[in-house]
Amino acid sequence: MTPVLDFVGEPRAFLAQARASIESLQEGGLLPGTRSTALLTAAFDNLLRGLFARAAADGALSPSAATHGVCLVAVGVYARRELCPHSDLDLVLLHDGASEPALAVLAERVLYPLWNDGMQVGQAVGTVAELLASADGDPKRQNALLDLRFLAGSSALFVALGGATGGAVILNAQTNTQSVE
């Protein structure tokens, strides 16, 4: 049996089918744990990318916002592709400042289906500067921003976040360490 990972139809049905496929392979002893986490992560990647693409295709997101103004980013365990069946899903909705109105639409189209499925979704929303400011002095948020993976939207925004968080987190970690000494 091959797990169904291509997102079509409704999010809840897709997730139920993907989870059932993965679980049946696990029960049959055909799926080691690392492969199971990779498949579950792939299912969520495909779901989130599909929901983002739907929002762009039906005009809920403008073409400019979908390709330049907003970005969907996986963080933490999800970014490392280590999702387990009951893991929470941590996401960043990154925007360029000008595309802030698109975030409500993106949240409605991407996050609501996850919440409706009972998923625990941790999310941060903001520009690169806002995300860095919210992480300043907060080791938990700093750690979350160490593992980032692009999902959909503006790759330029993702690169900007990746470059900024690497330097900012190291700098803040050095500052916190120096203040402890």
Side-chain angles (χ1 to χ4, degrees), residues 21-171:
S21 295
I22 293 167
E23 286 173 12
S24 71
L25 288 170
Q26 287 173 320
E27 289 170 1
L30 302 172
L31 195 63
T34 54
R35 183 74 177 127
S36 172
T37 60
L39 287 173
L40 188 58
T41 299
F44 276 100
D45 285 354
N46 291 344
L47 172 66
L48 290 166
R49 288 179 179 133
L51 291 171
F52 188 96
R54 281 185 185 177
D58 69 12
L61 284 177
S62 71
S64 175
T67 57
H68 302 294
V70 296
C71 180
L72 186 59
V73 180
V75 297
V77 169
Y78 180 35
R80 292 189 304 270
R81 294 181 172 91
E82 297 174 347
L83 282 182
C84 292
H86 300 287
S87 293
D88 62 338
L89 203 63
D90 294 321
L91 300 167
V92 168
L93 296 175
L94 182 62
H95 65 92
D96 62 4
S99 299
E100 193 167 353
L103 292 174
V105 172
L106 191 59
E108 180 181 321
R109 301 301 284 288
V110 174
L111 297 178
Y112 280 41
L114 299 172
W115 292 327
N116 290 341
D117 193 48
M119 286 290 305
Q120 294 293 321
V121 181
Q123 76 278 344
V125 179
T127 64
V128 171
E130 289 167 345
L131 291 170
L132 292 177
S134 73
D136 189 29
D138 184 345
K140 185 176 178 180
R141 286 185 185 233
Q142 291 171 356
N143 284 335
L145 292 174
L146 287 175
D147 297 310
L148 304 169
R149 189 165 52 83
F150 176 81
L151 291 173
S154 170
S155 57
L157 275 176
F158 175 75
V159 169
L161 177 63
T165 56
V169 171
I170 291 168
L171 176 62

